[in-house]
Amino acid sequence: MLTTFLRTVALGVRSLLLHKLRSFLTMLGILFGVASVVAMLAIGEGASEEAQAKFLELGSTNVIARSRKPSADSDSSAGMAARNARGVIYGLTFKDLDVIRGTISGVERVVGVRSVLKPTAHGSRNVEARLSGTTEDFLDVARVEIDRGRFLTTSDNLRRANVTVIGEEVRRQLFPFEDPIAKHIAIGGESFEVVGTMRSRGGASEKNFEGSDEDKVCFIPLATMETRFGFIDMQRSAGSRSTEQVELHEVRVRALSLDAVPDVAQAVRDVLKRLHEKDDVEVIVPLELLRTVEEQKRIWKAVLAAIAGISLLVGGIGVMNVMLATVTERTREIGVRRALGAKKRHVISQFLVETLVLSTAGGAIGVFLGIAIPFVVEHYADMKTVVRWDAVGLAFGISALVGVVFGLYPAMRAASMDPVEALRHE
Amino acid sequence: MTVSELGDRTDNAASAGGGAPRGEERPVILEARDIRRSYRMGGNVVHALDGVSFKVRQGDYWAIMGQSGSGKSTLLNLLGCLDRPTEGAYLLGGDDVAQLDDDDLAEIRGQRLGFIFQSFNLILQLTVLENIEVPLFYQGIPAREARERAQRYAELVGLGGRTHHRPLELSGGQQQRVAIARALVNEPLVILADEATGNLDSATGREILGLLDQLHVQGRTIIMVTHDPSIANRAEWVLRLKDGKIDRIEPGGKHPEGVRVPESH
Ligand SMILES: Nc1ncnc2c1ncn2[C@@H]1O[C@H](COP(=O)(O)OP(=O)(O)O)[C@@H](O)[C@H]1O
Ligand SMILES: [Mg+2]
């Protein structure tokens, strides 16, 4: 039974090799259909996984409010521009932090963060790092881990201590060969004692939401930051200088549970809307973004399914067309085989197997190409791709199905020929 | 191995034929009883065969002759189970095959009949050996056994050294030899040949006829449609068709002594 099948397959291959170019061209339809589906699925899957990882990174129970510089447009038209001699004032304030903390229920932590870029140096080595002022509970609302030493404490903030916890990239650049713990580094001209180092957040999360390097960071107590550096930040851009005043860049609110996230998000939005007439804060809800990504993924898959369907239909029609021509061309062979004892089902299986060989060979090469394309894309376009094996299996299975569906009619036509007529055929 | 050195197969056939006496004691293996075949052509009906009866005994060599359109091909197709008679009975090895369905007919063709065609009809993508194997494949004979048998018959027809050639690499005569080996490989009751030498030059044709003669001598049953009067000299019986009816049955050149002309109608 199996050997009969294998012999039929071998025969099919031989018959197809008789017309190499024709067989190859016929295969192309299925080949490109399968390859494009596998490749597009891998790229889509990679993109959504990357997006999901970014949003998960932000914490799925978090609601994050961020300061946003209002556009010049709304600035002038509203006439509300809080502009003073020193520059633009905008964004989250300590008042916002207190109101959120005091009025919203279902909240586990509310943590404020102030972030500015500061030159950071140790001896002759220096690096421009992000300086983040925050409190000890930042650890609870962000996916950061201490590698060595400790994180900031309550007393660091109370004492306004000059202590810092440095990210992996800062450690690597300032202390390539030394132990940084208890060493002093200069941040924006002030001396800070290194009390801890962070574990690298490398991999997919290497770049955060804004594309800055999550490992190139120094944490200091928020109170220390306020005392040493104030709220005014100098901006240099295209030769001109401007200053801006932002109290807090980010307020992270952690809900008690996933279920509480929507209510907390709504409450945070309401509070901020009340306190900010300008459009100078935005609220990011990772959970909502995740849902959006999932929705996009569903749509992407539906679109792909449609493309796959159409391209495989076109490929299938090509296969059927060629097989019908083959059957006509080989009418005499069919008659001879029937005379020599072939039953209808033998003829059907012969041509069906031939179509199957054609379509699954196209499918197999297509799968191979479909896996190779994302591989190339990943290397040269710096995009993450994920080849899912169930998708590969499905694409290949569909190519085989196309072979059966579009091979059946030509095969039946071959089998239904009258042996006498077939033998007389020129 | 050559035809004259034929092995087991011939001995079996000979013993089955009861010592192969060339007479009426040999069993009837094929019998047409008043078979008719008509075609409907638009309004009118064409009677391609109009009541044909005759018996073929094991080991017989028949030539079917007649003018073009007399029904020779129609008759051979019926005898070959490629077609079914409109009326009448056709007994092959004791079974009435006139009423069988398509699958049964295919099985009978594969097991009991061997075909030799005018245009050889080899399958071009297969080698000589594979062509000879085709009938065995459809009977589910294991690959190894099929290969051995095909090899034996390739040698029998003198093509033992060409088994891996493709048909188009062979001469017409060699191709027809392959076809003969293919017709023999399933050890059929009857070999049916339709103008087997029609596409060959006369020398090659004589060679093929010589091969058939030898097969006949070894006990095989042959029925051959032909235009060539000289073939009548090689056959035991000549059946002449005219307008779908048997005109007459006459003894051929090889007609065995002392056997009377069989009753036909
Ligand atoms: N498929 C067919 N349809 C209609 N008429 C046919 C068909 N096959 C044969 N005939 C007719 O049957 C008669 C006998 O044909 P055939 O057996 O081919 O004769 P021969 O082989 O002796 O030349 C002819 O008149 C032919 O036209
Ligand atoms: Mg004819």
Side-chain angles (χ1 to χ4, degrees):
Chain A
M1 184 61 210
L2 183 69
T3 56
T4 306
F5 178 73
L6 289 179
R7 286 164 76 184
T8 310
V9 170
L11 179 71
V13 171
R14 299 267 291 277
S15 302
L16 291 170
L17 286 179
L18 218 57
H19 303 282
K20 292 189 188 68
L21 181 65
R22 184 165 77 184
S23 302
F24 176 70
L25 291 176
T26 311
M27 252 166 43
L28 282 185
I30 304 238
L31 192 158
F32 286 130
V34 169
S36 57
V37 168
V38 170
M40 286 192 285
L41 266 180
I43 291 167
E45 192 76 34
S48 75
E49 231 174 64
E50 207 165 23
Q52 276 177 330
K54 272 181 192 165
F55 298 144
L56 275 176
E57 178 79 26
L58 296 172
S60 51
T61 54
N62 283 354
V63 172
I64 299 169
R66 283 195 173 138
S67 298
R68 177 167 68 183
K69 190 173 187 171
S71 60
D73 235 23
S74 66
D75 206 28
S76 57
S77 66
M80 306 278 241
R83 195 178 259 281
N84 62 13
R86 288 173 311 206
V88 201
I89 303 171
Y90 69 90
L92 294 159
T93 62
F94 285 97
K95 187 183 170 202
D96 297 336
L97 190 65
D98 289 339
V99 172
I100 290 170
R101 223 175 236 149
T103 61
I104 299 177
S105 59
V107 166
E108 189 183 310
R109 288 269 185 285
V110 181
V111 182
V113 183
R114 216 186 113 64
S115 292
V116 290
L117 286 177
K118 288 281 179 205
T120 303
H122 176 248
S124 61
R125 300 177 194 280
N126 59 75
V127 59
E128 175 100 344
R130 184 159 54 85
L131 180 65
S132 283
T134 187
T135 47
E136 69 283 353
D137 43 10
F138 182 76
L139 273 191
D140 300 331
V141 295
R143 299 211 162 187
V144 291
E145 277 176 83
I146 290 298
D147 184 25
R148 305 194 43 232
R150 62 171 178 86
F151 196 65
L152 306 170
T153 61
T154 317
S155 99
D156 286 338
N157 259 296
L158 288 173
R159 292 187 293 114
R160 297 178 188 259
N162 274 25
V163 293
T164 181
V165 178
I166 60 176
E168 170 61 18
E169 181 62 19
V170 174
R171 187 205 62 75
R172 210 174 58 77
Q173 295 205 20
L174 297 187
F175 298 95
F177 310 115
E178 298 169 72
D179 179 2
I181 303 293
K183 299 270 169 17
H184 282 76
I185 61 173
I187 303 175
E190 295 274 337
S191 175
F192 284 81
E193 182 192 348
V194 178
V195 295
T197 60
M198 314 290 303
R199 191 158 286 164
S200 170
R201 306 170 68 190
S205 58
E206 201 176 307
K207 297 272 168 69
N208 79 348
F209 207 46
E210 279 103 17
S212 67
D213 189 336
E214 287 285 286
D215 286 336
K216 212 179 193 175
V217 63
C218 297
F219 290 100
I220 62 170
L222 185 57
T224 310
M225 192 161 186
E226 189 185 339
T227 310
R228 302 282 179 266
F229 302 109
F231 296 136
I232 299 163
D233 190 32
M234 186 82 79
Q235 302 278 306
R236 287 175 215 87
S237 57
S240 73
R241 287 171 161 220
S242 68
T243 58
E244 55 179 47
Q245 184 178 326
V246 179
E247 288 183 22
L248 289 171
H249 289 91
E250 193 172 280
V251 172
R252 288 189 172 225
V253 182
R254 184 188 165 102
L256 281 168
S257 68
L258 275 176
D259 293 339
V261 170
D263 288 342
V264 170
Q266 193 52 48
V268 169
R269 281 189 177 115
D270 290 346
V271 164
L272 292 178
K273 192 161 192 173
R274 191 151 44 76
L275 295 176
H276 292 257
E277 285 166 33
K278 277 190 301 173
D279 188 21
D280 64 348
V281 292
E282 63 180 340
V283 176
I284 295 161
V285 186
L287 194 66
E288 287 174 2
L289 296 175
L290 275 175
R291 300 254 152 92
T292 311
V293 170
E294 274 161 19
E295 181 59 25
Q296 280 169 345
K297 196 164 137 182
R298 256 200 302 283
I299 293 170
W300 174 249
K301 281 193 170 157
V303 169
L304 265 190
I307 294 171
I310 292 166
S311 63
L312 288 172
L313 184 75
V314 171
I317 291 169
V319 168
M320 180 147 131
N321 193 18
V322 165
M323 286 314 291
L324 283 173
T326 302
V327 165
T328 306
E329 198 174 85
R330 284 158 66 188
T331 299
R332 185 73 87 90
E333 178 190 331
I334 295 163
V336 173
R337 288 183 179 277
R338 296 280 277 134
L340 299 180
K343 295 176 181 170
K344 283 185 172 167
R345 63 180 161 81
H346 290 125
V347 177
I348 289 182
S349 65
Q350 181 186 341
F351 283 94
L352 206 52
V353 162
E354 212 165 293
T355 321
L356 260 175
V357 166
L358 206 58
S359 63
T360 53
I365 301 174
V367 161
F368 181 78
L369 210 69
I371 292 171
I373 290 170
F375 191 75
V376 171
V377 164
E378 191 159 319
H379 267 248
Y380 293 98
D382 193 27
M383 279 168 71
K384 185 182 163 70
T385 62
V386 176
V387 174
R388 290 204 25 189
W389 296 105
D390 53 351
V392 169
L394 189 72
F396 184 73
I398 288 175
S399 70
L401 191 70
V402 165
V404 174
V405 168
F406 290 92
L408 205 56
Y409 176 66
M412 304 245 283
R413 203 149 116 165
S416 66
M417 283 177 183
D418 176 36
V420 173
E421 295 295 330
L423 277 169
R424 246 210 305 260
H425 187 89
E426 267 320 308
Chain B
M1 189 166 76
T2 63
V3 178
S4 48
E5 297 165 19
L6 258 185
D8 303 348
R9 165 64 182 76
T10 320
D11 299 340
N12 289 346
S15 54
R22 298 237 171 253
E24 281 174 274
E25 312 91 79
R26 286 178 295 155
V28 171
I29 54 173
L30 181 156
E31 183 179 358
R33 282 188 196 152
D34 197 27
I35 53 176
R36 289 160 202 274
R37 178 70 168 96
S38 48
Y39 295 102
R40 209 170 292 276
M41 293 284 280
N44 41 341
V45 177
V46 181
H47 297 284
L49 278 183
D50 199 10
V52 169
S53 305
F54 68 106
K55 289 178 187 170
V56 173
R57 290 177 183 274
Q58 187 169 58
D60 278 0
Y61 188 168
W62 287 68
I64 298 175
M65 301 190 71
Q67 287 182 336
S68 181
S70 57
K72 303 184 296 293
S73 295
T74 305
L75 178 58
L76 202 74
N77 288 337
L78 287 174
L79 297 181
C81 296
L82 289 165
D83 193 12
R84 269 172 290 225
T86 322
E87 274 176 64
Y90 170 37
L91 305 172
L92 180 63
D95 301 320
D96 184 2
V97 298
Q99 311 301 328
L100 295 179
D101 70 12
D102 195 87
D103 272 6
D104 295 330
L105 288 181
E107 200 156 315
I108 285 183
R109 291 195 294 268
Q111 289 174 354
R112 303 187 187 175
L113 300 169
F115 289 89
I116 303 171
F117 304 94
Q118 178 173 353
S119 49
F120 325 136
N121 279 341
L122 300 179
I123 296 168
L124 302 182
Q125 63 265 40
L126 302 182
T127 64
V128 164
L129 206 59
E130 287 164 341
N131 264 288
I132 301 175
E133 280 176 32
V134 170
L136 302 179
F137 175 75
Y138 291 120
Q139 287 176 57
I141 308 263
R144 169 119 41 99
E145 186 188 336
R147 181 114 318 184
E148 283 166 5
R149 270 164 74 171
Q151 181 68 39
R152 232 182 322 137
Y153 281 95
E155 283 163 14
L156 178 77
V157 297
L159 288 173
R162 307 261 165 158
T163 50
H164 296 291
H165 285 61
R166 300 286 161 119
L168 295 181
E169 298 162 12
L170 304 177
S171 71
Q174 286 172 323
Q175 289 189 49
Q176 195 61 300
R177 285 167 181 271
V178 177
I180 290 171
R182 183 176 66 182
L184 293 173
V185 76
N186 59 344
E187 288 161 13
L189 279 175
V190 194
I191 296 165
L192 301 168
D194 194 349
E195 303 267 11
T197 58
N199 281 14
L200 300 172
D201 61 70
S202 54
T204 315
R206 272 197 302 279
E207 232 175 85
I208 293 297
L209 290 173
L211 180 55
L212 291 176
D213 282 348
Q214 281 176 291
L215 295 171
H216 174 231
V217 167
Q218 286 152 8
R220 287 183 172 80
T221 314
I222 300 171
I223 300 175
M224 172 127 122
V225 165
T226 183
H227 273 112
D228 184 351
S230 74
I231 291 176
N233 290 327
R234 298 174 177 265
E236 290 173 319
W237 305 105
V238 178
L239 187 156
R240 290 189 189 277
L241 279 177
K242 193 176 176 187
D243 298 332
K245 290 187 166 71
I246 294 182
D247 185 27
R248 57 200 143 94
I249 293 177
E250 21 175 73
K254 292 275 178 57
H255 181 64
E257 292 297 324
V259 177
R260 63 183 173 80
V261 176
E263 74 290 354
S264 55
H265 328 282

